[in-house]
């Protein structure tokens, strides 16, 4: 685990292992076969979320018990970065 910035709270390993995100990491390893070095390796969890958007977000929805009216067909409508209204791409 990386060191926190000076003055920032860092949970103990026991506390970190009892968080909801650690519970999700354990679930993802068990139910989705995601290779994460530990329950509290947030960098690995983030890397998975960026590398495989569809699998990550479908896992989040399943883990949280999200009920969809219609099953989703895609995670994103477009992979383009959103542009605030009133601005243009250059």
């Amino acid at each position: 685990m990386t060191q926190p910035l000076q003055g920032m709270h860092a949970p103990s390993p026991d506390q970190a292992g009892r968080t909801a995100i650690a519970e999700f990491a354990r679930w993802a390893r068990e139910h989705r076969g995601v290779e994460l070095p530990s329950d509290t390796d947030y960098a690995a969890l983030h890397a998975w979320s960026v590398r495989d958007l569809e699998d990550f977000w479908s896992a989040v929805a399943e883990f949280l018990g999200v009920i969809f009216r219609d099953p989703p067909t895609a995670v994103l409508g477009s992979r383009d970065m959103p542009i605030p209204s009133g601005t243009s791409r250059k």
Side-chain angles (χ1 to χ4, degrees):
M1 187 155 106
T2 59
Q3 294 298 318
L5 297 174
Q6 186 174 355
M8 293 192 67
H9 170 73
S12 70
D14 181 56
Q15 290 171 319
R18 289 184 280 128
T19 62
I21 199 160
E23 183 181 344
F24 172 65
R26 285 189 290 277
W27 181 92
R29 276 202 318 271
E30 181 180 334
H31 295 275
R32 293 292 186 99
V34 178
E35 294 184 26
L36 298 171
S38 75
D39 301 341
T40 57
D41 189 334
Y42 304 123
L45 196 59
H46 176 261
W48 172 43
S49 77
V50 173
R51 180 180 63 251
D52 192 348
L53 290 171
E54 288 78 11
D55 192 43
F56 176 80
W57 287 107
S58 69
V60 168
E62 185 179 342
F63 174 75
L64 294 174
V66 175
I67 299 169
F68 295 97
R69 178 174 172 223
D70 297 312
T73 58
V75 172
L76 295 173
S78 168
R79 290 191 183 251
D80 292 337
M81 182 61 108
I83 302 296
S85 60
T87 62
S88 62
R89 292 185 194 268
K90 293 188 180 195

